[in-house]
């Protein structure tokens, strides 16, 4: 009988931490810049009523590009870069929790599920205030009628207002209207979206990678199999958690306070189809994200291996 071939997972204790964090910042920034336009489009699609502004992902892309230019696809991006902090917190928490759970169980699915959920809990506590601000900025331009806050118009002849000037404007409006709680609007909805998403993604990622390794030739690069497993896991997780993601976007952008009432109104106004709003944009954004993230993350881990372990890992 042919021996089962496993893709060996590089664990926390195998890494040179200095290399890991140095390369990690660059990798995270590259991923965010690549997928940000799809994230912006997804947010506008989820917040709009029916098809009041856009008829779908491609239509939104064309209309934003025509009306606002390339800059329109990157509204709020500079603010969103602060999520680099949460990205590093996510990676660290995931690896440390995996290591902790491994002392009680060798089951990889359990380790991935617990570590993924825990990492998302920590990351979202940092990310939500940044998301609240960046989403308000995303909705400016064509989507400004769908949000509570608007950037003040420039005076005629005034110099162009830099991004952080607009950011200060939005922050002031949020604080004046909702106080500090306004920056954590949708926090519970975010946890209910991203903790399950992360908890589902990692087990399915390892599951798909393992299944692909059984079907692939023995000399097939592991990195290629992992790059294929990432989008499959992302599509699975996105489909499972998209209804809560629609609710989260509306709670944060429209200033709602009740997750349950928002969900009921969504079903009442748009039926169960409303729960799929932005799903195609989410999958489109998550596919390249997953490929870049998996290739980047697995490469990062291999480049960060302790010197004595370099030759022991198959790419």
């Amino acid at each position: 009988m042919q021996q089962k071939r496993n893709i060996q997972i590089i664990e926390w204790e195998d890494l040179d931490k200095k290399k890991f964090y140095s390369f990690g910042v660059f990798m995270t920034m590259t991923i965010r810049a690549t997928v940000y336009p799809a994230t912006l489009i997804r947010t506008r699609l989820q917040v709009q009523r029916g098809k009041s502004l856009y008829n779908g992902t491609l239509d939104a892309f064309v209309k934003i590009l025509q009306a606002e230019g390339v800059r329109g696809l990157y509204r709020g991006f500079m603010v969103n870069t602060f999520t680099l902090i949460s990205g590093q917190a996510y990676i660290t928490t995931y690896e440390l929790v995996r290591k902790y759970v491994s002392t009680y169980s060798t089951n990889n699915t359990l380790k991935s599920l617990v570590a993924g959920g825990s990492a998302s809990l920590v990351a979202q506590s940092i990310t939500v205030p940044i998301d609240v601000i960046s989403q308000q900025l995303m909705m400016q331009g064509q989507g400004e009628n769908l949000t509570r806050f608007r950037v003040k118009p420039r005076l005629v002849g005034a110099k162009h207002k830099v991004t952080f000037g607009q950011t200060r404007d939005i922050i002031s409006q949020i604080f004046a209207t909702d106080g500090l709680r306004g920056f954590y609007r949708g926090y519970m909805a975010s946890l209910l979206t991203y903790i399950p998403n992360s908890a589902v993604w990692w087990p399915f990622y390892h599951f798909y990678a393992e299944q692909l390794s059984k079907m692939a030739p023995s000399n097939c690069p592991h990195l290629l199999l992992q790059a294929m497993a990432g989008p499959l896991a992302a599509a699975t997780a996105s489909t499972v958690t998209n209804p809560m993601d629609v609710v989260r976007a509306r709670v944060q952008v429209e200033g709602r306070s009740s997750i349950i009432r928002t969900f009921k109104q969504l079903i009442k106004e748009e039926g169960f189809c409303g729960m799929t709003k932005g799903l195609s944009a989410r999958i489109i954004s998550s596919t390249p994200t997953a490929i870049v993230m998996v290739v980047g993350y697995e490469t990062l881990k291999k480049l960060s291996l302790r010197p004595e372990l370099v030759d022991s890992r198959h790419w």
Side-chain angles (χ1 to χ4, degrees):
M1 181 181 293
Q2 186 177 358
Q3 186 178 5
K4 178 181 176 181
R5 182 168 71 88
N6 295 313
I7 296 179
Q8 194 169 5
I9 298 172
I10 298 174
E11 301 289 1
W12 182 248
E13 58 271 17
D14 300 330
L15 301 173
D16 179 328
K17 309 305 185 294
K18 187 179 292 185
K19 289 182 181 179
F20 183 73
Y21 284 114
S22 298
F23 294 143
V25 171
F26 174 76
M27 180 200 74
T28 305
M29 188 67 177
T30 302
I31 292 172
R32 293 194 185 282
T34 302
V35 305
Y36 190 81
T39 302
L40 181 143
I41 291 170
R42 183 192 78 201
T43 299
R44 291 195 183 185
L45 287 173
Q46 289 178 334
V47 172
Q48 73 172 354
R49 287 286 182 270
K51 294 183 178 180
S52 58
L53 194 56
Y54 308 115
N55 291 320
T57 302
L58 182 59
D59 183 56
F61 176 78
V62 172
K63 284 182 177 177
I64 293 170
L65 204 57
Q66 289 176 342
E68 304 175 46
V70 175
R71 291 183 63 178
L73 294 169
Y74 280 90
R75 286 184 181 274
F77 177 70
M78 290 303 296
V79 176
N80 195 261
T81 58
F82 285 99
T83 55
L84 285 171
I85 299 169
S86 65
Q88 297 306 305
Y90 180 96
I91 291 171
T92 302
T93 303
Y94 177 78
E95 295 293 347
L96 288 176
V97 172
R98 268 189 68 91
K99 181 180 179 182
Y100 177 77
V101 175
S102 66
T103 61
Y104 298 95
S105 174
T106 57
N107 186 291
N108 185 61
T109 299
L110 178 63
K111 289 192 289 184
S112 298
L113 190 149
V114 175
S118 301
S120 189
L121 173 61
V122 172
Q124 285 305 305
S125 298
I126 302 170
T127 299
V128 168
I130 301 170
D131 271 350
V132 168
I133 298 166
S134 65
Q135 284 178 339
Q136 294 296 336
L137 290 168
M138 285 179 189
M139 297 305 296
Q140 302 306 308
Q142 287 186 320
E144 64 183 16
N145 293 326
L146 302 174
T147 183
R148 294 187 302 157
F149 306 113
R150 299 184 188 179
V151 173
K152 295 175 182 176
R154 290 188 295 128
L155 297 175
V156 177
K159 291 183 178 180
H160 181 70
K161 203 172 189 180
V162 296
T163 298
F164 286 110
Q166 296 181 355
T167 303
R168 285 195 298 270
D169 194 359
I170 291 294
I171 290 174
S172 298
Q173 291 182 53
I174 294 173
F175 184 74
T177 304
D178 299 327
L180 289 174
R181 290 182 61 184
F183 296 101
Y184 272 91
R185 187 174 291 280
Y187 178 62
M188 286 306 299
S190 291
L191 294 184
L192 292 173
T193 300
Y194 291 114
I195 288 179
N197 187 83
S198 184
V200 169
W201 192 92
W202 286 102
F204 271 102
Y205 165 60
H206 291 301
F207 170 77
Y208 287 133
E210 186 64 38
Q211 297 308 308
L212 289 169
S213 73
K214 293 177 182 178
M215 297 184 286
S218 59
N219 61 347
C220 184
H222 286 180
L223 194 61
L224 176 61
L225 300 177
Q226 290 166 327
M228 294 169 64
L232 291 173
T236 303
S238 295
T239 303
V240 170
T241 61
N242 196 72
M244 201 63 230
D245 194 40
V246 177
V247 173
R248 175 197 61 80
R250 293 197 171 188
V251 167
Q252 290 182 332
V253 174
E254 297 178 355
R256 298 172 179 272
S257 58
S258 172
I259 295 172
I260 295 175
R261 278 201 296 270
T262 302
F263 183 79
K264 286 181 177 178
Q265 185 176 3
L266 175 66
I267 297 298
K268 182 180 178 181
E269 292 180 353
E270 305 185 47
F272 285 98
C273 290
M275 294 190 294
T276 65
K277 296 191 76 171
L279 178 59
S280 61
R282 195 174 179 203
I283 292 176
I284 288 169
S285 68
S286 67
T287 297
T289 301
I291 294 172
V292 175
M293 189 191 83
V294 166
V295 172
Y297 188 59
E298 295 296 348
T299 302
L300 167 66
K301 290 173 78 174
K302 289 178 175 70
L303 292 175
S304 303
L305 274 170
R306 301 203 321 265
E308 64 272 21
L309 297 175
V310 172
D311 295 331
S312 66
R313 297 297 189 273
H314 174 50
W315 282 59

